């Protein structure tokens, strides 16, 4: 089980790739990376929070990505717009998850 911050950081990369190259994912609607990320975020949400809960934007992006894959997968899709709007929130939550993990480990976060 890897830390939530790593999972969210990988979701950021997947999301950025989906936004910049949606045609690449046209044939990969059942991309295994997305399924693994979804499972890890759901598992993290079931565990007690170590600080501020940081899974809401991950859930929202997963729902929008699944809707995009279930639909027409058009590069101008409203789902991609929603994903793009959620990406800054996901970045903040990934950063907060890292801070939570460092705090639990007894380390002080440094910029």
């Amino acid at each position: 089980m890897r830390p939530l911050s790593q999972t969210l950081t990988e979701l950021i990369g997947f999301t950025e790739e989906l936004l910049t190259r949606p045609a690449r994912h046209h044939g990969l609607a059942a991309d295994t990376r997305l399924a693994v990320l979804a499972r890890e975020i759901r598992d993290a949400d079931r565990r007690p929070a170590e600080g501020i809960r940081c899974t809401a934007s991950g859930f929202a992006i997963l729902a929008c990505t699944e809707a995009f894959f279930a639909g027409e997968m058009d590069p101008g899709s409203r789902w991609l717009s929603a994903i793009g709007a959620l990406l800054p929130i996901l970045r903040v939550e990934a950063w907060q998850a890292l801070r939570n993990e460092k705090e639990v480990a007894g380390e002080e976060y440094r910029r």
Side-chain angles (χ1 to χ4, degrees), residues 20-42:
T20 57
R21 294 184 282 287
R24 180 180 182 278
H25 292 280
H26 194 51
L28 300 173
D31 191 337
T32 56
R33 276 192 310 168
L34 183 63
V36 169
L37 293 171
R39 187 186 65 233
E40 289 178 0
I41 290 170
R42 288 181 180 113

Side-chain angles (χ1 to χ4, degrees), residues 6-20:
Q6 288 181 354
T7 300
L8 295 177
T9 300
E10 188 174 329
L11 182 59
I12 290 168
F14 179 87
T15 302
E16 289 173 342
E17 186 178 310
L18 179 64
L19 290 172
T20 57

